[in-house]
Amino acid sequence: MVGEGRGQGQGQGQGQGIIALPGWLQGLLREKFFNACIIHEEARKNEKNIFCLDCSTSFCPHCFSLHSSHRLLQIRRYVYHDVLRLDDAAKLFDCSSVQTYITNSAKVVFLRQRPQTRQCRGSGNICCTCDRPLQDPYLFCSLYCKIDYLWRTEGGLSRNLRDCNFLPLPEDAGLMTPDTVLEPAPTSSGSGGGYGGVGCRTLACTAATDFAPVVRKKRTSVLTCHDPCQTTTTHEPARPVCGPASENSAGLMNRRKKTPHRAPLY
C-alpha cells in the first residue's frame, strides 16, 4: 500500500511504503524539489525543478547538459506546492478524475497531498483518499491520492501507467524556474488577454512611461494674448486688434470674494 490510511498530511506516510512502483514514480513521489543545487550552489537560478525519469533524480537548469538526452519532467510551483503540467503528467499516468488548476495559462495537477488544518464538514464532493473538498466531478486532489487509492483497491497501477519513451522539456520551460501566479478572475472583454487583466510585468513597464514627471508652468496673474498684435494694411493709423490686458482684468483674477449683501426686505 502506498499510503497509511486516509487524511494524512504531506509529510506523513507519503515517503513510506512506496513499493512495487516503477523506479521513476518512486523517485518522483519521494524527491524534494526547489532546493538549492549543491554543485551550483553559488550560481543564480540553481533550484532543482527538473526531474529526470531515467536517473530518478532532480537537478537544476545548470545541470541540463548531463541529462539532455533523457526523459525530463519540469516541476512547477502553485501556492507553495509542487505541481505538474497536465499535458506532461498525462503522458506518464492516467490523470482523469484528478482536480486541475490553472497557473501561467496552463492546467496543472498537484503531485502530492497537502496538509489540512481542519477536517472537512458537510456532504459535498471530497477526495477519496484525504477527504479534501473538491469540485465536481473530480475524485482526487492530487496524483498521489489517486495512486494510493488504486493501490488499495486494485492492488496495482498497470492499467493507469502510460508508455513514454520520449519526454523533452516544454518550449516555455526556458531552463529557469517559472513564475507562478494564481488563476486570475475573468474581467470585461476590453481588458486584453485570454484570462483578462494586465500582468505585473506589464504594469511595471508602463509605470516608467505613464507616470513620468510633468513639468508644470507657473501661473501668471496677467492675461496675455497668444497672437501678436496685428495692424491694418491701409494708410490709416495702426490700430491694435488685441491690446494688452488692462489692470482691471488682472485685478479680477486676484480679487478676493467679498461679503455678500442681502437684498432689502419690503
Side-chain angles (χ1 to χ4, degrees):
M1 183 167 61
V2 178
E4 296 181 358
R6 299 164 64 89
Q8 291 182 338
Q10 180 175 345
Q12 301 178 2
Q14 290 194 13
Q16 303 174 2
I18 305 179
I19 58 176
L21 297 179
W24 65 266
L25 186 54
Q26 295 184 35
L28 183 63
L29 296 176
R30 287 174 173 169
E31 191 72 15
K32 293 183 178 180
F33 300 98
F34 292 94
N35 292 331
C37 178
I38 300 177
I39 302 176
H40 303 94
E41 187 175 0
E42 302 298 332
R44 298 183 58 186
K45 298 292 184 180
N46 62 348
E47 296 176 329
K48 297 192 296 182
N49 65 331
I50 305 175
F51 183 79
C52 179
L53 277 71
D54 297 326
C55 302
S56 298
T57 186
S58 61
F59 61 93
C60 75
H62 302 286
C63 302
F64 174 75
S65 59
L66 302 176
H67 307 268
S68 58
S69 60
H70 297 173
R71 294 175 298 168
L72 303 179
L73 188 64
Q74 185 182 16
I75 311 300
R76 301 168 185 258
R77 296 285 279 177
Y78 181 82
V79 292
Y80 305 102
H81 293 280
D82 300 336
V83 297
L84 303 176
R85 276 186 31 163
L86 180 61
D87 293 341
D88 298 336
K91 297 176 182 178
L92 303 170
F93 188 80
D94 181 11
C95 299
S96 60
S97 302
V98 180
Q99 181 162 322
T100 60
Y101 301 84
I102 295 180
T103 174
N104 286 345
S105 302
K107 289 186 177 182
V108 298
V109 291
F110 280 96
L111 179 59
R112 289 180 284 263
Q113 288 183 11
R114 290 166 289 163
Q116 298 190 56
T117 57
R118 56 185 178 180
Q119 295 294 331
C120 175
R121 296 181 180 180
S123 57
N125 188 32
I126 60 175
C127 177
C128 296
T129 300
C130 66
D131 297 336
R132 176 177 289 274
L134 299 175
Q135 300 177 357
D136 292 327
Y138 300 111
L139 302 177
F140 307 98
C141 68
S142 65
L143 290 178
Y144 176 87
C145 288
K146 182 171 183 178
I147 293 173
D148 180 81
Y149 178 82
L150 294 176
W151 190 264
R152 289 186 290 106
T153 57
E154 299 182 7
L157 308 174
S158 58
R159 295 192 303 175
N160 294 270
L161 294 177
R162 301 286 184 261
D163 293 331
C164 181
N165 298 323
F166 180 71
L167 186 63
L169 289 178
E171 295 180 357
D172 63 343
L175 295 181
M176 291 296 175
T177 304
D179 297 328
T180 307
V181 295
L182 296 178
E183 178 181 0
T187 57
S188 59
S189 58
S191 59
Y195 289 93
V198 181
C200 297
R201 294 183 179 179
T202 305
L203 291 177
C205 296
T206 57
T209 56
D210 295 345
F211 299 96
V214 180
V215 179
R216 299 181 180 275
K217 296 183 179 180
K218 185 177 180 181
R219 182 178 179 182
T220 58
S221 60
V222 180
L223 296 177
T224 57
C225 185
H226 294 285
D227 298 330
C229 297
Q230 301 177 1
T231 57
T232 59
T233 57
T234 62
H235 296 286
E236 297 180 358
R239 182 174 57 185
V241 177
C242 59
S246 63
E247 296 181 358
N248 293 335
S249 300
L252 290 175
M253 293 189 63
N254 297 329
R255 185 178 63 182
R256 299 180 60 184
K257 186 177 181 181
K258 298 181 180 180
T259 307
H261 296 280
R262 188 182 299 276
L265 300 176
Y266 295 98

